[in-house]
Structures are given as C-alpha cells and as structure tokens.
C-alpha cells in the first residue's frame, strides 16, 4: 500500500529542490522556501495516498473515512456503541445497564 521507493524519491527531490533554492535565494527567503517544501511535499504525498484509498473525505459520503482519523464523517452514528456479551444489549459506556456485566464488544 505504501511505496517506500516513491517516498524516498519525493524526499530526495524535496531535499535537492530546497538546497537549490537556498543557493539561489538570500538567507531568510531560502530557509523559508526550504521549510515550506519540507512541509508541503509530505502533505501532498499523504493526500495522494489517502485519495488512492478513498479515505480523504472526498465527494463519496459512503467511504467512512476522511476528516481527522475518520471522525465526523460516519453519517450520524454518534460514536462507538458497545454490545454486552452476556445479554446482547446495545449501550454506550463501560458496563451494561441491564445486567451490569463489563464483558462487551465494540459495534461500529
């Protein structure tokens, strides 16, 4: 899924471009451009890989991903619900309100 050769290629390219910009531009501008490149290139790679996995929160609302770690785009599910393994009751929280058991599984 994650190609390290491509990542190293982008890292080497960003290093070469930032060194070139530091040689061409004066001190504060070259440093700012180099820092900008080191920030923008990984963001570009992340966006590219996330869009490839359809998890970046594009126009598809049924993907389930996107946002900050998938938060907010789950379509009104309201978070994680738990199912009691003893009495099969769906609830939110630590222990089952029906039987008091703490044995539960997450239901997404």
């Amino acid at each position: 899924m994650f190609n390290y050769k491509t990542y190293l290629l982008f890292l080497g390219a960003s290093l070469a471009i930032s060194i070139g910009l530091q040689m061409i531009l004066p001190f504060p501008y070259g440093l700012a451009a180099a820092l900008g490149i080191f920030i923008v290139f990984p963001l570009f790679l992340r966006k590219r890989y996330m869009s490839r996995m359809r998890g970046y929160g594009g126009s598809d609302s049924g993907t389930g991903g996107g946002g900050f770690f998938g938060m907010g785009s789950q379509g009104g599910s309201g978070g994680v619900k738990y199912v009691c393994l003893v009495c099969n009751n769906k609830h939110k929280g630590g222990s089952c309100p029906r039987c008091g058991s703490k044995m539960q599984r997450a239901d997404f």
Side-chain angles (χ1 to χ4, degrees):
M1 177 174 26
F2 186 76
N3 192 357
Y4 286 108
K5 288 182 182 180
T6 306
Y7 183 74
L8 289 176
L9 180 71
F10 268 89
L11 190 65
S14 68
L15 181 65
I17 290 172
S18 65
I19 289 174
L21 283 176
Q22 286 183 359
M23 289 184 163
I24 293 172
L25 297 174
F27 168 67
Y29 302 116
L31 183 64
L35 288 175
I37 287 173
F38 273 137
I39 291 172
V40 168
F41 269 9
L43 289 176
F44 174 71
L45 277 178
R46 183 177 299 142
K47 182 177 180 181
R48 193 173 102 181
Y49 283 121
M50 293 300 280
S51 67
R52 190 177 290 172
M53 292 188 310
R54 292 188 205 154
Y56 200 67
S59 62
D60 295 333
S61 62
T63 58
F68 186 70
F69 290 87
M71 299 278 187
S73 63
Q74 294 177 356
S77 66
V80 179
K81 299 215 180 221
Y82 297 99
V83 177
C84 179
L85 294 177
V86 177
C87 65
N88 206 19
N89 181 30
K90 289 187 180 182
H91 60 88
K92 293 175 102 176
S95 62
C96 178
R98 185 186 295 171
C99 66
S101 173
K102 292 186 179 180
M103 297 294 292
Q104 59 192 0
R105 66 176 169 86
D107 189 23
F108 296 103

